[in-house]
Amino acid sequence: MMKNIKTLHIIQLFLCLFIFSNQNIKAQKIDTDSLLIVITNDMKNAHPDYNRNIQRALLGKKMAPDYLDFHLFLGRNYDLTNVKDSARYYYKYVIEQNPKYQEAFLYLINLDLEEKKYDEGLILANKAIELYPDDKTFRLRRIAMYSSKGDIENEAKYLKSIRTKFPHDPEIEQRLYELYSKINMDRVGIYYNYTTISRDGIGPWNLASADYLRQRIWGSLIGRVSYAKRFSSNYIMASGLQFEVESYLYAKNNNYSYLDAAYSQDDAFPELRLGYSYFHNFKHGWEADLGIRYIKSQDNSDVTSLNIGLGKYFGSYWLNLRSFIQNEGPSFTFTSRYYYKTKFDYVTLIAGYGTSPDDRTRAAEYEARMTLKSFRASAGFNKLIKSHYIAGILITANEQEYTSNKYQTELDFAFLLQYKF
């Protein structure tokens, strides 16, 4: 009997210990979960307390060593306080313990990019792509690694590969366009524009140019010589040469600048035409530009205008709205393009109001036309032929006011032929 009572007491003791242990485990889980919520909520604030979050995460790690979320938070908060070695340690620890933490991969790859550890970053990106083949982000990070280390060949290879997997993605299309703008190449070309004018005794106008483009990873430099001849009642009204230099210069994060300078001593062109624009690329295929244009006529009068532009990639479509603002009133140009293969293969539609200082055909009359109304529409296409030849055509109809409430129709037929090597 005594033996049975003793056995019963032992069972009761173990049962109490089990219940107490269970309660402790439950309490600990509630405490660690609550701690995670506190850290998560603080990270969402506009001004997180990173150092306090580190102390919270260290406490959580001590209470629950296998709770990897605390290790991830430690890595992230150390990263944001520029303690990069500690951040790297915790990111790696999380990945080694459980590779299903996608955030750890992403944070560590970004850290490799920031610290220019491209080879380590590529190994990690490739591992992440194997684990998450349908995640576009890791493929873009791999491309960013090649782009940052200047490996254009692999950048192009993987951009084409990701474009096949994610067709018509605006961010990818924008990156492809930028890539084609950085590949080393040279181009020589000719351009011809023929303008007919509906008003009796005016026209036709002829504009021809030859140019040479040198494109490198830093940007491009273009030299151009143009010749214009304008007729009125079968007599030459104006003719002459213009010499021009144009350049695109690339900066960090795919931002770039545009510069243009043209000079002429002949009345078919302005004496001086200068232009500058700065382009900034945002996420999701957005681009904005801000610049200035200056035109000095042969009679020494001059005009300065401000330009503002906004562009966006929608899959293979590129849309851009640009305005030129001066005292006499603004002009607007809306451009749309559909890229069906490379940077050089596209169909374009353009609509505009007012005269643009970037319109080389009418630049000599820019000051006179600023106060007059005009409505224009264009359609054209460009095509790359056999990898070396670029051909293009653009037809423009411009309904131009030449005196109050009287209009003439101007038709432009422009042809382009280039050879790239």
Side-chain angles (χ1 to χ4, degrees):
M1 180 71 175
M2 290 293 294
K3 188 176 180 182
N4 288 340
I5 293 172
K6 190 176 180 181
T7 304
L8 185 61
H9 284 164
I10 292 171
I11 292 171
Q12 286 175 337
L13 178 63
F14 274 112
L15 188 60
C16 288
L17 286 172
F18 175 76
I19 292 170
F20 179 73
S21 173
N22 243 4
Q23 286 174 340
N24 277 350
I25 291 169
K26 275 189 176 180
Q28 186 182 25
K29 187 168 191 325
I30 291 169
D31 289 341
T32 53
D33 286 346
S34 300
L35 201 54
L36 271 177
I37 291 169
V38 171
I39 299 172
T40 302
N41 290 337
D42 187 73
M43 293 292 289
K44 292 177 182 177
N45 290 335
H47 302 286
D49 190 342
Y50 300 126
N51 290 318
R52 196 169 180 185
N53 285 333
I54 289 170
Q55 296 306 315
R56 289 165 175 159
L58 286 170
L59 176 61
K61 180 171 75 77
K62 186 177 179 180
M63 294 169 62
D66 297 329
Y67 220 150
L68 292 178
D69 293 73
F70 288 115
H71 294 79
L72 184 63
F73 274 123
L74 278 168
R76 188 63 182 145
N77 283 275
Y78 276 126
D79 197 350
L80 294 169
T81 52
N82 289 316
V83 187
K84 302 299 183 181
D85 289 342
S86 296
R88 185 177 292 277
Y89 168 81
Y90 283 108
Y91 291 153
K92 283 185 174 180
Y93 181 84
V94 172
I95 291 170
E96 287 167 3
Q97 297 301 311
N98 188 349
K100 290 187 177 180
Y101 275 78
Q102 288 181 254
E103 298 95 331
F105 276 105
L106 184 59
Y107 294 149
L108 187 52
I109 291 169
N110 287 340
L111 188 55
D112 286 332
L113 267 171
E114 183 183 339
E115 296 186 336
K116 299 182 180 180
K117 295 183 178 182
Y118 302 129
D119 292 335
E120 290 182 34
L122 283 169
I123 292 170
L124 193 64
N126 286 327
K127 182 179 178 180
I129 291 167
E130 287 179 13
L131 291 168
Y132 309 102
D134 296 323
D135 192 310
K136 182 185 72 173
T137 305
F138 294 121
R139 294 176 183 268
L140 288 173
R141 289 296 185 275
R142 176 170 63 183
I143 290 164
M145 291 287 177
Y146 285 120
S147 177
S148 298
K149 68 185 294 190
D151 188 346
I152 291 179
E153 185 177 341
N154 273 311
E155 184 184 359
K157 171 185 172 184
Y158 287 110
L159 262 175
K160 291 174 183 176
S161 171
I162 194 175
R163 190 192 199 193
T164 302
K165 189 168 182 64
F166 302 97
H168 311 302
D169 183 281
E171 187 176 359
I172 295 168
E173 294 298 328
Q174 184 181 32
R175 282 175 174 264
L176 271 169
Y177 186 90
E178 291 161 358
L179 175 68
Y180 282 120
S181 299
K182 293 179 181 178
I183 293 173
N184 290 355
M185 72 171 71
D186 295 87
R187 299 203 307 263
V188 292
I190 55 173
Y191 170 87
Y192 176 67
N193 186 90
Y194 180 79
T195 303
T196 65
I197 301 174
S198 62
R199 190 154 53 109
D200 290 341
I202 305 297
W205 293 354
N206 298 273
L207 174 65
S209 63
D211 57 31
Y212 170 72
L213 176 146
R214 187 173 179 83
Q215 182 175 294
R216 295 297 182 267
I217 193 168
W218 51 263
S220 62
L221 184 64
I222 307 165
R224 181 180 295 112
V225 179
S226 300
Y227 175 76
K229 182 183 286 188
R230 297 180 177 180
F231 289 89
S232 178
S233 299
N234 295 322
Y235 291 97
I236 297 174
M237 180 180 67
S239 65
L241 290 170
Q242 176 183 259
F243 302 92
E244 185 176 5
V245 177
E246 196 176 7
S247 181
Y248 290 88
L249 299 175
Y250 294 103
K252 293 181 179 180
N253 301 319
N254 292 317
N255 300 320
Y256 60 97
S257 294
Y258 166 78
L259 301 96
D260 181 60
Y263 173 76
S264 177
Q265 293 182 328
D266 301 311
D267 55 3
F269 297 97
E271 179 183 346
L272 188 64
R273 183 164 55 82
L274 302 173
Y276 173 80
S277 288
Y278 180 77
F279 292 80
H280 179 75
N281 286 297
F282 299 93
K283 293 181 179 179
H284 309 299
W286 285 96
E287 179 183 77
D289 65 279
L290 179 67
I292 192 168
R293 301 292 188 270
Y294 173 80
I295 293 180
K296 180 182 178 182
S297 302
Q298 295 293 338
D299 62 3
N300 287 324
S301 61
D302 58 7
V303 179
T304 301
S305 58
L306 176 73
N307 87 272
I308 302 172
L310 183 66
K312 174 75 168 78
Y313 282 88
F314 294 91
S316 298
Y317 291 90
W318 179 72
L319 305 179
N320 179 270
L321 178 63
R322 179 170 286 122
S323 175
F324 293 96
I325 303 167
Q326 57 270 324
N327 292 334
E328 290 74 10
S331 68
F332 300 93
T333 302
F334 177 76
T335 303
S336 63
R337 286 182 182 177
Y338 173 72
Y339 291 95
Y340 56 91
K341 206 169 184 182
T342 71
K343 169 187 175 180
F344 309 106
D345 297 282
Y346 61 84
V347 177
T348 185
L349 294 173
I350 304 170
Y353 170 80
T355 302
S356 164
D358 287 347
D359 185 346
R360 290 180 170 86
T361 304
R362 296 163 179 82
E365 297 186 351
Y366 178 64
E367 187 175 4
R369 290 180 177 232
M370 282 192 309
T371 58
L372 300 170
K373 298 175 184 176
S374 66
F375 307 88
R376 64 188 180 279
S378 306
F381 74 91
N382 265 44
K383 183 172 179 57
L384 178 63
I385 304 169
K386 294 187 176 179
S387 301
H388 288 288
Y389 298 94
I390 302 164
I393 182 171
L394 183 70
I395 300 173
T396 301
N398 184 47
E399 196 69 12
Q400 178 67 52
E401 185 180 35
Y402 61 89
T403 190
S404 181
N405 296 320
K406 292 187 177 181
Y407 290 84
Q408 63 191 25
T409 302
E410 301 169 353
L411 292 177
D412 291 354
F413 301 89
F415 305 92
L416 169 76
L417 182 62
Q418 291 182 327
Y419 177 78
K420 81 178 180 71
F421 54 97

